[in-house]
Amino acid sequence: MARYSAWFQSVSGDPERYPLTEIIYRCPQTGELLEVVHDEAALKTKSASEWKSLFDGRYGRTEWPYGSGVWSKHEWVQPLVQPENVVSLYEGNSNLLWAERYGASIGVPDLWVKQCGTSHTGSFKDLGMTVLVSSVKQMISEGKPIRAIACASTGDTSAALAAYGAAAAIPVVVLLPKGKISAAQLIQPIANGAIVCSLDTDFDGCMRVVERLTHDPHVYLGNSLNSLRVEGQKTISVEIVQQFDWEVPDWVLVPGGNLGNVSAIAKGFQQLQRLGLTSRLPRLVCCQAAQANPLYRAYQKALADSRPVELRDFEPVHAGDTLASAIRIGSPVSLSKAIQALADCDGIVEQATEQELADAAARADLTGMFNCPHTGVALACLEKLVARNIIQKGQRVVVVSTAHGLKFTEFKAQYHEKRLDFISALPNEPVEMGSDPEQVVEQIYKVLDKRSKPAD
Ligand SMILES: Cc1ncc(COP(=O)(O)O)c(C=O)c1O
């Protein structure tokens, strides 16, 4: 890996470089976010077709650590981690599912869902966490005095950090907003032995505490403010293109909260284009819950003036209660990167109400999926953009499904048992029955008859 190199640099364009093994999260001059910059001249010593065949040859194989979806792109991700320090649970390589029936029903037959939730801890967070925890293991091996890794989380980040920390035997501290995450998400870091802190605040409050906690270099920051995470998450884009035999889709929709993922996805597509593996970028849609929509509001402000969204349009909001609890964020940390990503990928920001996200998730579930509420947000935004003819019938569309529906069963139970604040459009309640075989059979036929009648 010695041929390849990468370093941290400020997104503000400041030329100063910092090693990826330095404990640093923001530019010391400007306070801006850092990003990982790769030595692209070195990467260009391999041709586009050589990269494609290298990545295709590694896909899903067993040679450590290249069978991982992330580490199969080792040179593009974190070349300074030695293979013996990689902490991988063979994340990535997630299914790109052709949503044939659902797509046809809403008017986009070439619709695909990138199932990032079918991963080790059930969300896309594994992709970034393998890179961050491996980098920490590398730093410790080089003598850095790191005692623990800490993160603030809306549930999925803490699950991923706890699992990778446990796999590497590195202590983990997670800061969670009390009562605002699902039971499945809470039990994950508990089971993996993390120090689980339940704080009487929201995610934005937890983020303030973790920034204070990680002022001390003995506790390393695990949030996506740390741009090592972004490097792993950008492999979502490389994988999508690889799964389409190196073709770029027309649209990619992704739910947005802290806005690290939307910027990671743009970064992946841009790297593919710069290194000549593709020749264009897809259009991006950042999908927010209407209850936690600061970027959507900024985008609307700019749209009213017929110009691209800029940082000055943004105001933080107090994020309200939403079924999409993992994106309940009012002051997104990766805002500046997301605004740049939207500018680069001719992006759009859309929003979905609670009713819209729940009904869209249920509609897609009826075609065989099992969507988390955040994926519901992206699907609802897709339906709206198709209805407005912004996304068109002949176009190839990818929805990034960010977590597994099984982590959010309370949401589905409430929906189907009609316990939400709005009327569920597609409830499916269990039918109470006795034990007499004749009566049960009769009841089943009645239900079948009712279902086969066309709706009034
Ligand atoms: C399931 C799920 N979807 C979407 C997101 C949003 O990603 P980001 O915060 O990078 O915008 C998160 C982040 O917590 C998440 O857990």
Side-chain angles (χ1 to χ4, degrees), residues 119-423:
S119 185
H120 188 73
T121 69
S123 87
F124 75 97
K125 305 285 183 179
D126 293 346
L127 305 172
M129 214 49 91
T130 182
V131 178
L132 185 133
V133 175
S134 302
S135 302
V136 171
K137 198 170 167 200
Q138 180 73 36
M139 289 180 211
I140 293 172
S141 78
E142 292 174 12
K144 290 277 184 319
I146 297 171
R147 290 183 57 190
I149 312 175
C151 73
S153 175
T154 53
D156 292 321
T157 299
S158 56
L161 177 57
Y164 284 84
I170 299 172
V172 163
V173 181
V174 304
L175 308 176
L176 298 167
K178 189 174 178 174
K180 296 188 178 72
I181 68 170
S182 77
Q185 288 174 315
L186 177 61
I187 203 64
Q188 288 182 289
I190 290 176
N192 286 136
I195 299 171
V196 178
C197 310
S198 184
L199 270 61
D200 189 13
T201 180
D202 56 10
F203 170 80
D204 298 297
C206 293
M207 199 61 224
R208 284 191 289 275
V209 176
V210 83
E211 289 209 54
R212 162 66 188 81
L213 176 66
T214 53
H215 279 168
D216 175 349
H218 294 98
V219 183
Y220 192 74
L221 177 67
N223 280 94
S224 59
L225 162 63
N226 186 326
S227 55
L228 290 169
R229 290 259 313 277
V230 167
E231 290 310 288
Q233 290 172 207
K234 82 182 179 192
T235 62
I236 294 173
S237 312
V238 186
E239 240 174 67
I240 289 171
V241 167
Q242 190 174 10
Q243 286 167 315
F244 283 135
D245 291 328
W246 304 102
E247 280 181 17
V248 179
D250 296 305
W251 291 91
V252 176
L253 293 90
V254 56
N258 225 4
L259 305 178
N261 209 26
V262 69
S263 52
I265 287 171
K267 196 169 187 223
F269 283 112
Q270 287 171 310
Q271 193 165 6
L272 281 160
Q273 189 184 29
R274 278 198 308 273
L275 293 175
L277 281 75
T278 57
S279 55
R280 66 187 181 105
L281 299 173
R283 292 192 68 187
L284 271 188
V285 185
C286 179
C287 306
Q288 294 212 292
Q291 290 285 87
N293 62 353
L295 186 61
Y296 176 78
R297 288 174 191 226
Y299 177 78
Q300 287 300 316
K301 222 187 265 178
L303 204 60
D305 296 343
S306 310
R307 57 174 174 78
V309 60
E310 294 170 23
L311 267 180
R312 66 184 162 111
D313 298 314
F314 180 83
E315 276 173 43
V317 298
H318 175 74
D321 202 3
T322 171
L323 293 163
S325 52
I327 52 175
R328 182 178 177 176
I329 296 173
S331 181
V333 165
S334 296
L335 176 73
S336 55
K337 286 185 182 176
I339 286 180
Q340 189 58 50
L342 292 172
D344 295 339
C345 296
D346 196 8
I348 290 180
V349 188
E350 188 50 84
Q351 69 168 3
T353 64
E354 296 300 288
Q355 170 112 49
E356 287 167 343
L357 76 89
D359 286 336
R363 221 175 343 267
D365 284 0
L366 283 173
T367 66
M369 288 182 247
F370 194 73
N371 292 293
C372 76
H374 323 88
T375 306
V377 170
L379 295 172
C381 291
L382 167 66
E383 291 182 13
K384 291 165 102 168
L385 293 170
V386 174
R388 296 211 298 270
N389 209 26
I390 294 172
I391 295 181
Q392 290 167 1
K393 191 172 188 243
Q395 296 185 308
R396 172 167 283 180
V397 182
V398 176
V399 169
V400 178
S401 172
T402 44
H404 203 294
L406 284 171
K407 293 179 92 168
F408 299 91
T409 47
E410 296 101 320
F411 149 69
K412 292 203 185 286
Q414 286 172 344
Y415 182 86
H416 289 289
E417 291 165 8
K418 300 188 271 195
R419 286 191 281 118
L420 291 169
D421 296 341
F422 49 84
I423 296 171

Side-chain angles (χ1 to χ4, degrees), residues 27-50:
C27 170
Q29 273 77 38
T30 62
E32 256 294 2
L33 296 175
L34 297 174
E35 64 180 339
V36 174
V37 177
H38 290 264
D39 176 358
E40 289 203 346
L43 292 171
K44 280 182 179 158
T45 57
K46 253 193 217 315
S47 70
S49 61
E50 284 172 317

